[in-house]
Amino acid sequence: LESCLVFPLAWTAIEYGRSFIESSGSHGSLAYSQFSWLPVMQVASVAGIWGITFLVASFAPVANLILDAALNPEKRKRARLPAIAFAGLLVASLAFGFARQPIDASREREVGAGNAGNAAGTGAKSFRVATITKMSTVTEFADIYGRGAFKPLAEYGALIEHYSAKAAAGGAKGLHRQEYFFQIPEEKKPELLALLESAASRYGIYEIAGITLYDPPPRKASRNTAVIIEPRGTLAVDYTKKHLVVGIETSCMLSGNGVMQAIDTEWGRWTLAICYENDFPAFVAQAGRMGADTLFMPTLDWPGLVPFHSYMSVFRGIENGCAIVKCAGYGLTLVADRYGRIVASEDDTRTDGTLFFADVPARGEKTLYAVTGDAFAWLAIVSLTFVIVRAVKRKKEREFRVDR
């Protein structure tokens, strides 16, 4: 049995270690290969993606042992226990996965802007959100660094007014804008916030926006931020991105303090994490610990990441028992419930200025992963150490007997 544990334990430990490396995060994890197989994905609510990685990696050594036993009958007894153990683990994982998901999905997802209410107090099942992306983000970025030219604040004001009015008319309770939607000099932040606060109070919606704040040239201390403004026109969340993209952001931006912020709304507790931060499971686990019901993800993607980057984000919702709303400029915008089921999605690789409406399941749940964190990954590390030490000890004992 131990021989079949070395590979999955080692692979899990390596993946877990890599997830803290700033240039990789959890990219490439075996767990993400199971996207869309919902029963297996539910394992993340207990053990994080590390439980899924262990399950997937366990198949190869067990299959090899069974094949070897089939070709060598004298080894069949040796393969019996690992085969039974793996089969039991797989069956238990699938049984849990099927049991965790609601049988009547239609009732769980019952939506309608007219039915939105207090998730905690009145039992509303959903709220409507609108998202907006734009195709000019990279051009604006190039103008700022190439010519020092910023979009006039008046143009941003017109966009705020236009989209806020349309979102409210469509029944949205919140308007979610992508990462880098607003790109302004640091000193213009109060003016931009005033425009957003005014729109929020006039239209009675939550304004959720990605705002990049630039310092004066040579622009080495800019900040990638996101805000949530309440319908009464007050700034509730003002957050600076902690995990910056290596190179393009680390070369010119300051990192945040890494503490996610939350706001209690009529539709549960909301929080946000910006783009690349959602590739770090241990970081986003803050959402689960704070009891978030909805996790907003303002994002700016590029072609090589689409749609995989959005699929990765779905696992953060399962781990932390919350719905996710990922607004992805140049990427796949999507809404998923706490079970990883895609409620709605839109390909925003070519859309420009089109509002996307979706109804977000409002109620989250406390998962075991939110309580225990990466305990399974640490268990894998400890178990691997034990197996290695035990193997070395046995080898020395055999050598000692031979010498005698």
Side-chain angles (χ1 to χ4, degrees):
L1 182 60
E2 288 182 8
S3 64
C4 290
L5 288 174
V6 174
F7 178 71
L9 288 174
W11 194 276
T12 302
I14 290 170
E15 277 197 4
Y16 180 62
R18 279 186 69 250
S19 73
F20 292 95
I21 299 175
E22 204 65 26
S23 60
S24 63
S26 61
H27 273 271
S29 170
L30 278 179
Y32 297 133
S33 68
Q34 302 306 296
F35 176 79
S36 79
W37 196 8
L38 289 172
V40 172
M41 291 172 70
Q42 305 313 307
V43 172
S45 69
V46 175
I49 59 172
W50 321 119
I52 303 175
T53 291
F54 178 83
L55 184 64
V56 174
S58 295
F59 175 78
V62 173
N64 179 71
L65 195 62
I66 292 174
L67 180 61
D68 187 35
L71 297 176
N72 302 279
E74 68 277 5
K75 296 182 179 181
R76 287 178 184 175
K77 186 176 180 180
R78 179 169 171 261
R80 190 175 304 156
L81 179 58
I84 293 174
F86 177 75
L89 178 62
L90 180 60
V91 169
S93 299
L94 292 175
F96 169 77
F98 281 112
R100 184 173 185 263
Q101 300 173 76
I103 296 176
D104 189 349
S106 62
R107 291 186 62 187
E108 174 71 17
R109 297 199 207 178
E110 185 179 319
V111 297
N115 296 328
N118 189 313
T122 65
K125 291 187 175 67
S126 68
F127 64 92
R128 177 157 291 182
V129 69
T131 68
I132 180 68
T133 63
K134 60 181 184 178
M135 297 297 291
S136 62
T137 306
V138 173
T139 302
E140 292 174 25
F141 187 85
D143 285 343
I144 292 168
Y145 277 93
R147 302 187 294 111
F150 289 89
K151 183 186 285 291
L153 205 60
E155 288 188 30
Y156 278 143
L159 289 175
I160 292 171
E161 177 70 22
H162 175 70
Y163 291 121
S164 296
K166 289 187 67 174
K173 304 304 177 183
L175 173 56
H176 184 16
R177 298 173 178 86
Q178 68 172 65
E179 180 186 24
Y180 285 94
F181 193 91
F182 299 110
Q183 301 187 66
I184 60 172
E186 178 90 39
E187 64 270 17
K188 294 290 185 181
K189 179 182 178 181
E191 296 177 53
L192 179 65
L193 289 180
L195 293 171
L196 288 166
E197 289 165 354
S198 175
S201 61
R202 281 185 290 111
Y203 294 106
I205 61 174
Y206 288 87
E207 299 278 1
I208 305 147
I211 305 174
T212 306
L213 304 171
Y214 292 94
D215 63 314
R219 307 198 194 286
K220 296 296 183 181
S222 300
R223 291 190 296 127
N224 187 341
T225 73
V227 301
I228 300 179
I229 297 172
E230 298 174 293
R232 58 185 174 180
T234 55
L235 179 64
V237 171
D238 188 359
Y239 174 76
T240 299
K241 186 176 183 180
K242 168 66 175 177
H243 290 285
L244 302 174
V245 177
V246 174
I248 193 171
E249 289 184 333
T250 55
S251 63
C252 60
M253 289 186 170
L254 299 177
S255 178
N257 62 14
V259 179
M260 293 173 63
Q261 303 172 32
I263 173 178
D264 289 317
T265 74
E266 302 94 317
W267 302 281
R269 180 165 292 177
W270 294 0
T271 188
L272 57 78
I274 302 173
C275 193
Y276 188 48
E277 293 183 318
N278 293 291
D279 300 353
F280 296 84
F283 176 80
V284 182
Q286 294 178 75
R289 291 195 295 270
M290 68 174 62
D293 296 290
T294 303
L295 171 61
F296 291 91
M297 302 176 175
T299 300
L300 181 68
D301 275 336
W302 55 86
L305 293 176
V306 182
F308 179 72
H309 201 217
S310 294
Y311 294 164
M312 290 171 60
S313 300
V314 174
F315 286 82
R316 304 292 86 81
I318 299 173
E319 289 166 346
N320 297 291
C322 61
I324 68 159
V325 182
K326 186 179 183 74
C327 179
Y330 302 107
L332 178 67
T333 291
L334 60 78
V335 173
D337 67 12
R338 64 184 185 272
Y339 305 108
R341 301 175 303 188
I342 306 301
V343 175
S345 64
E346 178 179 72
D347 181 358
D348 278 331
T349 55
R350 290 182 174 82
T351 57
D352 188 18
T354 303
L355 280 178
F356 169 65
F357 289 90
D359 293 289
V360 184
R363 182 172 57 87
E365 69 175 8
K366 197 75 170 180
T367 63
L368 183 60
Y369 178 77
V371 176
T372 62
D374 295 323
F376 183 85
W378 281 105
L379 177 62
I381 294 171
V382 171
S383 299
L384 177 63
T385 303
F386 173 79
V387 170
I388 292 174
V389 170
R390 184 178 170 87
V392 171
K393 185 178 179 181
R394 284 179 174 176
K395 181 181 179 182
K396 288 183 177 180
E397 288 176 350
R398 285 195 299 269
E399 290 174 347
F400 179 74
R401 285 196 295 268
V402 170
D403 290 340
R404 291 188 65 184

